[in-house]
Amino acid sequence: MYEKIQKHLRKEMESIREAGLFKEERIITSPQSGEIELNTGEKVLNFCANNYLGLSNHPKLIEAAKEGLDSHGFGMSSVRFICGTQDLHKKLEKKIAEFFGTEDTILYAACFDANGGVFEPMLTSEDAIISDSLNHASIIDGVRLCKAHRYRYNNADMADLEEKLKMAQEQRFRVIVTDAVFSMDGNVAPMDKIIELADKYDALVMIDECHSAGVVGKTGRGVTELFDIRGKVEIITGTLGKAFGGAIGGFTTGKKEIIELLRQRSRPYLFSNSLPPSVVNAGIKMFDMMAETHELQDKLHSNTSYFMDKMKNAGFDIKPTESAIIAVMLYDAKLSQDFAEKMLEEGIYVIGFYYPVVPKGQARIRVQVSAAHEKEHLDKCVEAFIKVGKKLNVIK
Ligand SMILES: *Cc1c(COP(=O)(O)O)cnc(C)c1O
């Protein structure tokens, strides 16, 4: 039996390679950081991690993780509702709600699970989900698992959203769902207009804060801070796997009745293991740090604008951004791959993205700036961009 499918699988792999879509994994031998070491012995500056605040290797979080291990053990061996809830889990949920100014929080193993388990418990075939066309894969999967009517509006296109809201008036409840920051362009969702339309057409709003929380807004509270709409969004999902330490873990935070129902009915919560104490204790420490100071956000924001200015002055075509994601537009797929390769030779690790990850003819290098970067790192990155850009005739 296996032979038949084996042949099929080999063919599939061939076609992935032929299409140039095979994803190689580079092997890192150091902790995740602004500067990393590869298994080839090379040391490179890392501009492609979601380590926006530089917390992935932060001594205070490592210490808190160790304390969590010592005081609460290694693993939970249980889901939350059987015997997988420690005082630490409750404490972290409360901290997350305080951070976002929401009523209650529920933890998941990852935001992929939070998004996968948020719609189905709450909505039925009588309801509607109105989703941005560039939303994350986990939102798309979550929508698929739910029987609600599906409407898709073009990325951040408010006229299109309004059209879809009009169509969805037939349904009982409506939920507009959007990424807060879109990961390929770095643009933020126009939350002020979304809230206005939600009011006008009687819809709930859900945002996915994964690339936004910790980054966007003066103190990193995300798009609800940026647009001054704290408390006006019913559902927020997010991850502990990006700016917030980068380990693992996801959450849904928002209106308390919604969170209560998720604890009873959300399948990834009910049927998957509880987060380990070390991760939870480090999470608590991380939110304490966020409550004390926003110096990491200040550093990240100044790093981002410093880098943007230098790149624009050098003549690069940069997409407008309000996050720490900077899209350096090259348009040509092959060029984006050559560019990234040459950047690595210069000691800079960045990734070139092209169709189907981004639209055809929209290939780019995505740069992710971090508070872990120092001025000299940013300068070195810009110098490499200029050198490679000239060599490949991208800039003069
Ligand atoms: C990364 C990401 C996720 C998944 O988060 P995990 O915690 O890694 O599962 C979900 N949504 C968006 C928008 C993301 O960028």
Side-chain angles (χ1 to χ4, degrees):
M1 178 58 212
Y2 185 65
E3 271 169 33
K4 266 198 213 157
I5 193 163
Q6 187 179 42
K7 231 165 124 190
H8 167 76
L9 295 176
R10 286 181 175 165
K11 245 199 200 136
E12 281 287 300
M13 290 308 300
E14 247 170 61
S15 72
I16 291 173
R17 279 181 200 276
E18 273 164 19
L21 298 177
F22 189 83
K23 296 184 253 325
E24 292 285 356
E25 294 178 0
R26 207 154 259 139
I27 296 169
I28 300 170
T29 52
S30 67
Q32 186 65 279
S33 185
E35 191 170 6
I36 52 174
E37 194 174 316
L38 307 179
N39 64 344
T40 54
E42 289 166 286
K43 281 207 171 107
V44 297
L45 296 179
N46 187 4
F47 281 87
C48 56
N50 305 312
N51 183 22
Y52 297 119
L53 298 176
L55 296 176
S56 303
N57 191 30
H58 196 285
K60 281 189 181 164
L61 298 193
I62 294 171
E63 189 190 312
K66 285 178 180 166
E67 282 169 12
L69 270 174
D70 289 340
S71 64
H72 286 70
F74 175 61
M76 291 310 301
S77 307
S78 170
V79 298
R80 286 287 298 274
F81 82 96
I82 296 183
C83 54
T85 300
Q86 288 176 327
D87 51 346
L88 294 180
H89 295 90
K90 299 310 285 181
K91 200 167 162 186
L92 177 57
E93 288 175 339
K94 193 155 165 273
K95 298 256 175 211
I96 293 172
E98 281 164 14
F99 183 86
F100 287 99
T102 46
E103 294 175 0
D104 198 4
T105 307
I106 175 173
L107 291 172
Y108 288 85
C111 188
F112 207 103
D113 294 319
N115 286 335
V118 68
F119 301 107
E120 187 259 349
M122 195 169 61
L123 306 172
T124 71
S125 56
E126 289 181 81
D127 307 314
I129 301 169
I130 305 140
S131 178
D132 188 288
S133 61
L134 290 190
N135 278 343
H136 191 262
S138 54
I139 294 178
I140 296 169
D141 284 7
V143 171
R144 281 185 186 145
L145 291 169
C146 161
K147 293 202 168 64
H149 289 256
R150 302 163 193 178
Y151 299 91
R152 203 172 86 128
Y153 64 97
N154 296 328
N155 176 232
D157 180 340
M158 293 299 101
D160 197 25
L161 172 58
E162 184 159 16
E163 275 313 300
K164 302 291 148 65
L165 280 164
K166 282 180 187 162
M167 289 161 77
Q169 291 306 300
E170 289 173 29
Q171 276 85 43
R172 178 183 60 167
F173 305 129
R174 285 155 290 286
V175 180
I176 302 168
V177 54
T178 181
D179 282 8
V181 166
F182 295 95
S183 65
M184 286 299 142
D185 288 5
N187 59 317
V188 299
M191 291 311 304
D192 47 348
K193 309 218 175 66
I194 290 174
I195 295 283
E196 240 178 76
L197 287 173
D199 282 345
K200 186 169 170 194
Y201 292 96
D202 196 20
L204 304 179
V205 177
M206 168 178 154
I207 54 176
D208 176 334
E209 274 280 341
C210 280
H211 284 284
S212 161
V215 174
V216 173
K218 189 170 164 35
T219 71
R221 262 65 177 173
V223 289
T224 59
E225 179 181 11
L226 185 69
F227 288 95
D228 198 16
I229 50 164
R230 271 166 84 81
K232 289 194 186 163
V233 168
E234 284 82 10
I235 306 168
I236 296 175
T237 60
T239 183
L240 302 177
K242 290 186 172 117
F244 289 157
I248 192 88
F251 56 84
T252 301
T253 188
K255 295 292 181 200
K256 79 175 193 305
E257 295 78 8
I258 295 174
I259 305 301
E260 269 173 5
L261 182 71
L262 293 177
R263 278 193 213 284
Q264 300 305 314
R265 295 252 179 91
S266 182
R267 294 166 68 84
Y269 182 80
L270 294 173
F271 300 111
S272 188
N273 200 21
S274 190
L275 280 177
S278 53
V279 166
V280 178
N281 207 46
I284 292 167
K285 180 71 194 175
M286 195 277 308
F287 282 104
D288 286 346
M289 285 163 64
M290 297 292 111
E292 263 166 39
T293 162
H294 50 84
E295 26 182 71
L296 289 176
Q297 279 80 17
D298 293 347
K299 187 172 175 198
L300 176 61
H301 296 155
S302 95
N303 277 355
T304 307
S305 53
Y306 180 82
F307 182 82
M308 285 273 282
D309 288 347
K310 289 220 146 184
M311 288 291 285
K312 279 187 187 159
N313 286 341
F316 284 102
D317 181 2
I318 310 278
K319 284 234 181 200
T321 182
E322 278 173 287
S323 64
I325 292 169
I326 295 165
V328 183
M329 299 307 294
L330 299 172
Y331 302 99
D332 183 76
K334 170 108 182 17
L335 178 61
S336 72
Q337 298 310 293
D338 293 346
F339 206 109
E341 211 177 290
K342 291 227 158 21
M343 288 293 284
L344 196 65
E345 287 167 16
E346 300 297 321
I348 307 291
Y349 189 11
V350 287
I351 302 283
F353 289 96
Y354 56 100
Y355 182 81
V357 179
V358 295
K360 271 209 172 102
Q362 293 284 307
R364 69 199 58 188
I365 301 276
R366 180 177 74 172
V367 177
Q368 291 174 287
V369 178
S370 167
H373 294 136
E374 302 302 335
K375 278 263 149 49
E376 59 265 28
H377 297 147
L378 301 169
D379 288 339
K380 196 176 165 207
C381 181
V382 174
E383 277 162 29
F385 261 107
I386 292 173
K387 186 171 167 192
V388 175
K390 283 182 176 161
K391 201 182 280 174
L392 296 179
N393 286 319
V394 174
I395 54 166
K396 287 194 195 92

